[in-house]
């Protein structure tokens, strides 16, 4: 038995074939070993732990960043004063901000009784774009995340149709204000935590719109605090 095969160890047919082939070619046959993966697993685990620690650190700073947004509520009220007489709104968002667009539209409906639709910005051309004109306010969520460039493109399309844009953007963004009529800024954070911040200006907007329209924000009509029937 070849020395490269340990004592008491049966040679695999592939080993026998490889050994025979090496003899014919005159090359020395050596048994191939499987690569060690322990180091790869360790590196991946360390990277995951580091990413988790960074995310936890950002999450701990969210309350402070929310407070920063609340301190700018006067700016939201100024915008509400310009739009509280409109009866239709369109909310657009992509990625993590799409559910935020739905929430913003829902809050506007619930407490100000204004018709509002939340829509994925990627599907704007499949219907909602026909509604956009100078009388249709469009709320666009365009924070610094993986979808930002595409949302900027959506804003350009709204602008080309004379739509009025109220944008939610990340602090320091200089591109969004060039396209929007009004911009509300939120602090930078991890992409997965963006909705915790970007939803705040939309809730404030719904609140101020309702107050200016004379609606009771504490007891919206036809809504119950608990639902006991299906």
């Amino acid at each position: 038995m070849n020395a490269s095969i340990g004592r008491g160890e049966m040679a695999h047919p592939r080993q026998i074939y490889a050994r025979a082939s090496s003899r014919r070619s005159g090359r020395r046959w050596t048994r191939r070993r499987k690569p060690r993966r322990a180091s790869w697993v360790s590196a991946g685990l360390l990277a995951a732990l580091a990413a988790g620690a960074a995310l936890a650190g950002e999450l701990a700073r969210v309350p402070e960043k929310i407070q920063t947004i609340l301190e700018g509520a006067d700016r939201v009220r100024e915008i509400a004063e310009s739009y509280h007489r409109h009866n239709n709104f369109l909310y657009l968002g992509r990625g993590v901000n799409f559910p935020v667009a739905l929430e913003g539209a829902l809050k506007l409906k619930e407490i100000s009784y204004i018709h509002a639709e939340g829509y994925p910005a990627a599907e704007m051309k499949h219907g909602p774009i026909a509604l956009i004109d100078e009388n249709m306010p469009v709320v666009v969520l365009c924070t610094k995340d993986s979808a930002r460039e595409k949302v900027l493109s959506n804003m350009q399309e709204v602008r080309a149709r004379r739509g009025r844009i109220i944008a939610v953007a990340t602090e320091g963004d200089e591109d969004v204000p060039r396209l929007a009529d009004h911009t509300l800024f939120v602090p930078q954070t991890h992409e997965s935590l963006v909705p915790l911040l970007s939803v705040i200006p939309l809730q404030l907007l719904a609140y101020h719109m309702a107050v200016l329209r004379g609606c009771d924000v504490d007891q919206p009509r036809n809504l119950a605090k608990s639902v006991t029937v299906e």
Side-chain angles (χ1 to χ4, degrees):
M1 184 177 288
N2 194 291
S4 61
I5 304 295
R7 287 183 180 179
E9 183 179 355
M10 295 296 294
H12 190 276
R14 291 182 180 176
Q15 296 176 355
I16 297 173
Y17 175 78
R19 185 173 57 192
S21 299
S22 65
R23 286 175 179 173
R24 288 195 298 269
S25 62
R27 293 178 298 179
R28 184 178 179 181
W29 178 80
T30 56
R31 186 179 182 181
R32 291 186 298 178
R33 295 182 178 181
K34 295 181 179 180
R36 294 181 178 179
R37 298 183 180 179
S39 59
W40 302 351
V41 173
S42 298
L45 181 59
L46 289 174
L49 290 173
L55 181 59
E58 279 296 319
L59 183 60
R61 288 188 284 272
V62 165
E64 177 185 346
K65 294 180 178 181
I66 290 177
Q67 184 59 40
T68 300
I69 298 172
L70 293 175
E71 290 171 357
D74 289 343
R75 171 61 177 157
V76 182
R77 179 181 172 82
E78 292 174 2
I79 295 173
E81 288 175 348
S82 300
Y83 292 93
H84 72 277
R85 292 186 177 87
H86 285 74
N87 294 316
N88 296 283
F89 272 76
L90 181 63
Y91 285 68
L92 299 176
R94 281 179 182 257
V96 296
N97 275 322
F98 169 51
V100 179
L102 295 178
E103 169 65 10
L106 179 62
K107 281 295 175 286
L108 194 65
K109 294 177 195 176
E110 285 181 333
I111 63 175
S112 66
Y113 318 140
I114 295 174
H115 174 250
E117 292 295 334
Y119 220 81
E123 298 180 19
M124 183 182 70
K125 291 184 177 180
H126 298 280
I129 197 169
L131 300 174
I132 297 174
D133 58 19
E134 64 276 10
N135 298 314
M136 173 64 78
V138 182
V139 180
V140 182
L141 292 132
C142 189
T143 53
K144 288 185 177 179
D145 53 42
S146 56
R148 177 177 175 274
E149 295 302 320
K150 293 181 179 179
V151 177
L152 284 173
S153 178
N154 293 137
M155 291 178 65
Q156 291 172 347
E157 292 178 351
V158 173
R159 194 73 175 176
R161 290 156 180 82
R162 298 181 295 172
R164 304 291 300 279
I165 301 175
I166 302 170
V168 176
T170 305
E171 289 179 349
D173 195 317
E174 298 179 354
D175 297 322
V176 173
R178 295 192 185 102
L179 295 171
D181 295 279
H182 312 276
T183 306
L184 298 169
F185 290 102
V186 297
Q188 176 76 50
T189 189
H190 190 281
E191 181 170 349
S192 62
L193 302 177
V194 165
L196 297 178
L197 302 181
S198 60
V199 73
I200 304 298
L202 304 191
Q203 292 174 330
L204 289 172
L205 181 64
Y207 168 79
H208 286 298
M209 296 272 279
V211 171
L212 289 168
R213 290 169 69 95
C215 301
D216 187 346
V217 296
D218 294 316
Q219 293 183 329
R221 69 188 183 198
N222 305 330
L223 295 181
K225 291 187 177 180
S226 62
V227 178
T228 57
V229 294
E230 295 183 359

